[in-house]
Amino acid sequence: MRLRIFRKAPDQEETYRVYEVEPHHGMTVLDALFQVHDRQDDSLSFRYSCRGAVCGSCAMLINKVPRLACRTQVAGLIDETPMKLAPSQSIGQTIGWDPPTEVLIEPLPNMPVIKDLVVDMEGFYAKYRRIQPSLLMREAGGRESLMGQDILRELELYTNCILCAACYGACPINGTDPKYLGPAALAKLFRFSIDPRDTDGLKRLELADEPHGWWACRFYTNCNKVCPRSVPPNIAIGRARQELKEKNKVMKGET
Amino acid sequence: MMAAISAADQGRDVAVLSKVHPLRSHSVAAQGGINASLSNNLTKGSDSWEAHSLDTVKGADYLADQDAVALLCQDAPRAVVELEHMGTVFSRNDEGKIAQRPFGGAGFPRTCYAADRTGHNLLHTLYEQCMSRNMTFYDEFFVTQLVSAGGRCNGCIALNIANGELEGFASKSLLLATGGHGRIYSHTTNAHINTGDGAALALAVGLPLKDMEFVQFHPTTLFGTNMLITEGARGEGGTLRNTSGERFMSRYAEHAMELAPRDIVARAIQTEIDQGRGREGGFVDLDLTHLGEERIESRLPGIRQISMEFAGIDPVTEPIPVQPGQHYSMGGVDIGNDCATGLPGLYAAGECACVSVHGANRLGGNSLLETVVFGRIAGNSMASSAERSADPDMTSIKGGLENESRRIETKLRREGGERQSTMREDLKQVMWDCFGIFRNEESMEKGMARIREIQSRMGSVSIDDKARCFNQALVEVMELEGMVRIAESVGLSALYRRESRGSHFRTDFPNRDDREFLKHTITTVREGGLLISYSPVRLGTFAVKEREY
């Protein structure tokens, strides 16, 4: 099986190199990258940790779709029917890629490349920090606060996020607006705003009440489609906008 | 991160170094839960921290230090409530309280959980709490050496992986919280990053490692990839069956059945496989089909996802193929109940350390608990000792930087040698073959010879990548150097313990021998070689008995 892999080192031109790997039953893209690194070229760099789709280290662009390398099996990647995503400026054509014979592996878009498949995620994390992701406990007694199943289910939708940034790489808005907070950070902010234990609650939504926050989203829903945890940032964003609109109405004295 | 939080809350200047971004740490993969005697599930009556202690000590096959276990269990309810107050979204029972389920070796349903993603939820919560505190993170910094001079730890030298530059860190108190060394085994649930770095660093500055022969093999890992299938799956009612459909645990633990401690269930499964009652390839069935889709979806969604994605099996309709695999390192850096090592200024906590609260076999749900309880203790110890201690010796840090810089240049200059990857594969295979679930003198002797042979090849390892930026191979070589040392320590400790206790099972010495071996194994580096000695177990309230389940 042939892999066409994006390569880039500091002070060197971007290039693609083709490697032949020996596939085995259940082989994932991460396994294939290790095979290249271990047997052919140890200068190939990529991030990895859990290999079980829980740590969020290895999101990359595989056949033009942002996904976790450890969760994607190589069988089926040759000439696959691509997932339908809204086009993004940063996911363009790759000259020389031959889908019927090759798997294409590239770094996650919308972040600068450090080396090969390793991107600089500082911008992504900075946006996560900007939404102030720490619960402020309303009142902390000696026992746990009580929580019903309905709110639990809703919170779980968002706490399942592993911050792999697949959504951030897939989002067309992140591709054109570098200041856009992006789906992961907004979903996280929404998660805190609906937590009944939080002192600030819905007031938190104001943190992203700006052109590069809630209002930048155009509901392409690439974020939800590529999420390995089925987190729905698009729903969070829609609900947040609704809340803010309601609040503004009240403030203007409308009913 | 719990240590960082508690030291920061006391006004100390805190930095966290990690070879991966902190959210990629292996705690994220813990599934089943965290134990605390909250008594939220009263199906077996009211729980207590004393009952939790007894279960832990008994599960440990009496090798745990009972005063340390008391610290762990007594603080557990407070620690879990604190995590809830910090924002963890725990699963809830009908009253809205934190839900608790039965786990192996436990007399009460005391394992609190966030579906089967408890570690993920706790790790994210702690990282979130770090964000609102004043501390500095150095992500993707690989520590290559601890700087010990003047009878204390002055800090460490670390490689900034992104640009390949070495940096010195001076500290009054330094904590090792690097996790376990599961990756020295070929079949492991552990993340790729679990290479025992902290224990290797401690060993290199002359500190002792404790109870390294005690390696936990988890009974249920997914056949093939060895991805963890939580004990919670059995806690929710999952059953183990061999090829003839028999619930074979009745022959090994007639009362506890599938919820006997992990060492017992792992040996039972391996025995079924070895005696030809497993399925072709070497696995047995974990049957959840009777639980129904709704319960599987609400309590074990991650298990369903893993089974479908990595084995093509939906546990709602088919049993999950499982086999035992390495899971946890009970042994580690020898520390006291305050998390201090023998070197002033150096601390250790979590899986890389050995207090010992897990003794010869850890109970499920006690490892996340250990990280938060002893993480807090470590943070407090570090903060108060930092207040008293003098500034670290900067010249020793400078000297360390020069040494490490030479060491790395030598590695990068070497040409035409063996790749680290082949040596790593060899090591993992030796450990699985010779120091696995069942051990004996003859195969362990052979294993020791093979480990030493691998060690002798280490000097010729070479790296093709000569650049500095994100040189993954360079990090892997340095990890491997530590792994070989750790493997030797595990092997030698196992060879010298001529009895069977907890996870350490010797076919040539199948019984426990309290007269000779109710003691901790200590390994230290002396004149280049490893030396074995022993230290007493701190017993207490609970008398040493035969384990029955």
Side-chain angles (χ1 to χ4, degrees), chain A residues 208-229:
Chain A
D209 188 7
E210 44 119 345
H212 306 289
W214 304 115
W215 308 101
C217 173
R218 306 274 293 272
F219 298 101
Y220 292 112
T221 67
N222 283 5
C223 51
N224 180 235
K225 285 181 194 145
V226 301
C227 179
R229 287 289 178 207

Side-chain angles (χ1 to χ4, degrees), chain A residues 17-39:
Chain A
R17 263 190 240 162
V18 177
Y19 299 89
E20 192 75 36
V21 295
E22 201 181 305
H24 59 75
H25 178 72
M27 181 188 235
T28 63
V29 170
L30 186 64
D31 295 333
L33 291 174
F34 266 113
Q35 199 186 96
V36 171
H37 173 82
D38 286 350
R39 297 189 196 167

Side-chain angles (χ1 to χ4, degrees), chain A residues 99-218:
Chain A
T101 60
E102 293 172 347
V103 177
L104 180 66
I105 305 174
E106 300 167 291
L108 209 52
N110 302 336
M111 284 168 271
V113 173
I114 296 176
K115 186 177 173 230
D116 302 338
L117 304 171
V118 178
V119 292
D120 182 355
M121 293 179 71
E122 179 44 33
F124 173 77
Y125 294 132
K127 289 168 182 173
Y128 163 83
R129 291 192 296 269
R130 250 217 12 243
I131 60 97
Q132 302 174 12
S134 320
L135 187 89
L136 303 162
M137 191 66 188
R138 202 177 284 277
E139 51 192 46
R143 285 294 302 203
E144 73 265 45
S145 20
L146 301 181
M147 191 183 279
Q149 300 295 335
D150 290 351
I151 182 65
L152 173 70
R153 295 275 167 271
E154 198 178 0
L155 282 170
E156 278 177 342
L157 280 180
Y158 303 104
T159 54
N160 281 340
C161 169
I162 58 176
L163 289 176
C164 66
C167 56
Y168 193 89
C171 176
I173 308 294
N174 278 126
T176 51
D177 176 3
K179 287 187 182 162
Y180 176 44
L181 283 169
L186 290 173
K188 182 68 73 181
L189 175 52
F190 183 72
R191 167 254 178 277
F192 284 107
S193 77
I194 58 167
D195 195 316
R197 301 170 295 183
D198 191 72
T199 315
D200 287 359
L202 289 173
K203 202 172 172 328
R204 283 179 180 259
L205 296 178
E206 292 165 20
L207 267 175
D209 188 7
E210 44 119 345
H212 306 289
W214 304 115
W215 308 101
C217 173
R218 306 274 293 272

Side-chain angles (χ1 to χ4, degrees), chain B residues 477-494:
Chain B
V477 166
M478 291 191 286
E479 285 172 344
L480 182 61
E481 287 171 346
M483 289 163 78
V484 177
R485 261 295 146 92
I486 297 296
E488 194 188 353
S489 169
V490 170
L492 204 65
S493 305

Side-chain angles (χ1 to χ4, degrees), chain B residues 17-28:
Chain B
L17 279 76
S18 173
K19 71 172 174 178
V20 292
H21 184 280
L23 290 177
R24 319 305 176 199
S25 304
H26 186 55
S27 301
V28 81

